[in-house]
Amino acid sequence: MTTVGFIGLGIMGGPMAAHLVGAGHEVIGFDVVPESLATLAEAGGKAAANVAEAVSSADVVITMLPDHPHVESVVLGDDGVLRNAKDGTLLIDMSTIRPESSLAIAQAAKAKGIRVLDAPVSGGEAGAKNAALSIMAGGDAADFAAAKPLFDVLGKTVVHVGPHGAGQVVKAANQLVVGGTYALVAEAIVLLEASGVDAKTGLDVLAGGLAASRILDLKRETMVARQFQPGFRIDLHHKDMGIAVAAARQADVSLPVTGLVAQLVAAARAMGHGSLDHSALLKVTEQLSSRG
Amino acid sequence: MTTVGFIGLGIMGGPMAAHLVGAGHEVIGFDVVPESLATLAEAGGKAAANVAEAVSSADVVITMLPDHPHVESVVLGDDGVLRNAKDGTLLIDMSTIRPESSLAIAQAAKAKGIRVLDAPVSGGEAGAKNAALSIMAGGDAADFAAAKPLFDVLGKTVVHVGPHGAGQVVKAANQLVVGGTYALVAEAIVLLEASGVDAKTGLDVLAGGLAASRILDLKRETMVARQFQPGFRIDLHHKDMGIAVAAARQADVSLPVTGLVAQLVAAARAMGHGSLDHSALLKVTEQLSSRG
Amino acid sequence: MTTVGFIGLGIMGGPMAAHLVGAGHEVIGFDVVPESLATLAEAGGKAAANVAEAVSSADVVITMLPDHPHVESVVLGDDGVLRNAKDGTLLIDMSTIRPESSLAIAQAAKAKGIRVLDAPVSGGEAGAKNAALSIMAGGDAADFAAAKPLFDVLGKTVVHVGPHGAGQVVKAANQLVVGGTYALVAEAIVLLEASGVDAKTGLDVLAGGLAASRILDLKRETMVARQFQPGFRIDLHHKDMGIAVAAARQADVSLPVTGLVAQLVAAARAMGHGSLDHSALLKVTEQLSSRG
Amino acid sequence: MTTVGFIGLGIMGGPMAAHLVGAGHEVIGFDVVPESLATLAEAGGKAAANVAEAVSSADVVITMLPDHPHVESVVLGDDGVLRNAKDGTLLIDMSTIRPESSLAIAQAAKAKGIRVLDAPVSGGEAGAKNAALSIMAGGDAADFAAAKPLFDVLGKTVVHVGPHGAGQVVKAANQLVVGGTYALVAEAIVLLEASGVDAKTGLDVLAGGLAASRILDLKRETMVARQFQPGFRIDLHHKDMGIAVAAARQADVSLPVTGLVAQLVAAARAMGHGSLDHSALLKVTEQLSSRG
């Protein structure tokens, strides 16, 4: 049994914490939303009054927060993890944030004797609920080995991808490919329909050849039918494309297609589709070619 | 048994014609390259001296040519198919050309009593040799039904995708998705490597989630290893991206990502990589981020 | 006095032909629109019944037509210029077409003993009416010298820019810079307005520094006021961006920004703004950021 | 006479501070580089030992620093401006930073009774030395009026463009137009040269028409000659394109051309040209079309 301090009990963190409780671990959670704390308590965890209380007795601290300002505040802040965790605690940040922020946190933690992994996930809400996340972890091999039993409770694919920040880089690479693939499928649909070709029939052909992709498999019918219930929201993919662009800047590389796709995802949000599934990028592409 | 006039006996057309001979059809072929004619004769076909001789007794004429000027010349020219084929002949153009060219040919043929299908293929040289092509056909359903037995000799996936030109539109959609996916995978590789993450490990994670694609499955190892033997050459994909952009113009739609990817594929060719596999688009992406 | 056969008496060609009449030249014109012929006759020119009649006695033939299929038909067709012009006639094509089409025409003409210049113009309808066009001519220096007196009747800036096709290349370069500049100014306006900054004030600052351009000088007030009366129509700029992309392909170069801007101009047309001034590219940019 | 605390005495700040001394103001400066302090002292200013000493007696504090982390540290930090400046001090940040950072600073300052203007400049090193900067200021009108006499010492064009952050937004808009114009001129040059047209002659024509710009006026000869001594360095323009992309995100707008141009400028830096003039963006464009 491990004592886990869990900060961030939202759509993702809530079910993840519950799975850890279910696996027999002691989970002391904190979230600014009282309902989230109540839900954890019902599941058998303990509700802490603040970050300090959640982490002070923990062997492992997991953070699952919206973006880097939240993580930096919770970890580095005056009442945060680094000031309150025991020496030798393992901090696992499972949030999706910029690689440079993960590196900064790792550096600050090291100075305080805290070990750190960045371990963002993919698989979304369904993956969190079904303990079927993909987890891509960056940091020291020994720390990954220590975290592995917990990761196995939460996910199906668990990979140590490299040093500090590597988890975030792989997640960024994943999201730029996913966002770009939606843009390409959207352009294929717009071209097919405007040319008088049945899009469903056309995409079936694409899905049978070199153009095949998980996205074509899972989403071509709903995209053609314009069904955009999330799934993974445009707002979140917009955040992630920002991380991909920031990661490119940090790595001193040029990613022209990513730079363009990031703006198209930004358009989806700006046009008011932030709460729709990320496949709703199609709405941007078709807007560019429609008179209405 | 069908009498087939087959124009264009190159890398693709040669093995296709041989398969038709092998299936028991009478194939009368023509090509401007004498060796191609000799190869057909060895396989049991007949070598014609010109287009007229190849098509004048045919029930079905198949054209498999590099681009629309060749097809237009062979079909519409003074000594071409329309002037020499019998009334009621079925012309199947299996070349990859602009949809508007296919439409113009269909219109001209109709005036001469010739039926037409546009039926471009994917699967490349290997697909032609192994009779494993994907065939996407546009035109009348009755003509598709008539051609189906021949298509089944040549390919594994054979789909009637819509009216005249629809085959070319689906092929264009396929190629824009394929070209764009290579660009995205290339950007992922460049980001991973520049960030100090092992690209193979990173792409393995991508291939296990929503970013998965046939291209990641088939090409991620060779791309990371910079092995770019074709396969399908950049020069041909450059031609196909031109068709995709032309098809968009014809359909009066805007495809921003396709417009950009077309220029990146053009860069691969301009940089001298035209004879490499299309996955060599990676060489453009990495050039943009390397000090030479 | 020169005898000029003038094919294409539309919005541009009509006033140009009239200026040549006014300068004392004999102008024999042809157009498919009868009203255009009547207008020429009123101005003192002669109306021909067809291309042959317009060019058979001419020293110089000028063509001013919408796009390359029209020019190719008029020049290369069975009843066209090359079959009917005198040996040694100078053919000046002032249409804006693809460089490769200009080269093909020059080659075909040479075989018939006809000299050719490609000489597209900028300055639009107002430039044609006020004899203030910019004329960029490609071809032999001697032919340019021979044409110079006529060019001086029509334009203010007259430059011999290089060999056959060079005029079209310079025109293409001009249009890609103009189209791209509109896109940039549009993005500046959208950013300023969405950030709560008065766009007029902001653009005034830009127009005073390194961002200054003729387009900012002439169009920033109308763009901010959303006044888009043409001027030069989106439809024509869409055609010209297609030429720029084709010229890049012909020259074997990669122009990524041009490739993207061409799709944005295509969007302006697809969204129904083809008859508005090209500064209406702003409508595409703001659509990408507005909730409808 | 005003007492000015001046933080950041580098290439830009050094000559600016000297101009203020020359105009009769008392300037107490601070910089982490001792030589910069010595230079200020020689010019008649006072060298402070730290930020606190520079600002504690000042009526006006000017900051001229590389990027937002430096400004945030100097202004918001434990030993920073807000903790040490007198109540009612006017803080003028002339650095080029993200609008959202300027807004955060204005908010924090207000809580401490400090008034703030964001007032980035354009005109570069030459503009700073010659007191010929363009200054675009955001903040309250009364504060702008108070700062105007100092601005007039430093610049020629001084404009109050709107509320807090507006100065940064206008600067971002300026830089995206400048960066994009370089990309367009570069694409024009590559197209002209590859087509066998003399680029100088071609650009002369462009500079005489609607494609005209300050950049074509000032830089077309040096770009064609591949002379890229700065001027304004790629590294700085890369930083500024990052600000433009961040400003778009903050304003919830989509800027596709800016998103692409930002990646091309990133390529110029990644390819090792960070110390060249920003017109060296041409080196990226031509790399995309050259064999070696």
Side-chain angles (χ1 to χ4, degrees), chain C residues 105-127:
Chain C
I105 285 167
Q107 200 165 15
K110 193 173 183 180
K112 300 270 187 176
I114 307 288
R115 300 174 295 149
V116 178
L117 293 172
D118 55 290
V121 305
S122 68
E125 191 179 344

Side-chain angles (χ1 to χ4, degrees), chain D residues 121-181:
Chain D
V121 306
S122 68
E125 189 179 346
K129 283 187 178 162
N130 302 325
L133 295 167
S134 289
I135 301 172
M136 41 211 102
D140 292 346
D143 295 334
F144 177 76
K148 186 70 165 43
L150 297 176
F151 288 155
D152 288 338
V153 173
L154 302 172
K156 281 193 174 159
T157 306
V158 178
V159 186
H160 180 219
V161 294
H164 291 305
Q168 300 298 350
V169 171
V170 173
K171 178 72 187 284
N174 189 77
Q175 294 305 78
L176 78 85
V177 171
V178 168
T181 303

Side-chain angles (χ1 to χ4, degrees), chain C residues 161 166 169 174 178 180-181 184 187 190 194-195 197 206 209-215 251 253-258 260 264 278 289, chain D residues 161 166 169 174 178 180-181 184 187 190 194-195 197 206 209-215 251 253-258 260 264 278 289:
Chain C
V161 293
V169 171
N174 189 77
V178 168
T181 304
L184 293 167
E187 295 196 357
V190 165
S195 304
V197 180
L206 268 61
L210 191 55
S213 63
R214 185 74 47 90
I215 283 172
V253 295
S254 167
L255 305 183
V257 181
T258 298
L260 175 57
L264 297 176
H278 48 172
S289 301
Chain D
V161 294
V169 171
N174 189 77
V178 168
T181 303
L184 293 168
E187 295 197 357
V190 165
S195 304
V197 179
L206 268 60
L210 190 55
S213 62
R214 186 74 47 89
I215 283 173
V253 294
S254 166
L255 305 183
V257 180
T258 298
L260 174 57
L264 297 176
H278 48 170
S289 300

Side-chain angles (χ1 to χ4, degrees), chain A residues 187 212 214 253-254 256-258 289, chain B residues 187 212 214 254-258 289:
Chain A
E187 296 197 357
R214 186 74 47 92
V253 295
S254 167
V257 180
T258 299
S289 300
Chain B
E187 296 196 357
R214 185 76 46 90
S254 168
L255 307 183
V257 180
T258 298
S289 299

Side-chain angles (χ1 to χ4, degrees), chain D residues 95-112:
Chain D
S95 319
T96 294
I97 63 174
R98 301 179 174 197
E100 63 188 295
S101 181
S102 291
L103 287 168
I105 285 167
Q107 200 164 16
K110 193 173 183 180
K112 300 269 186 176

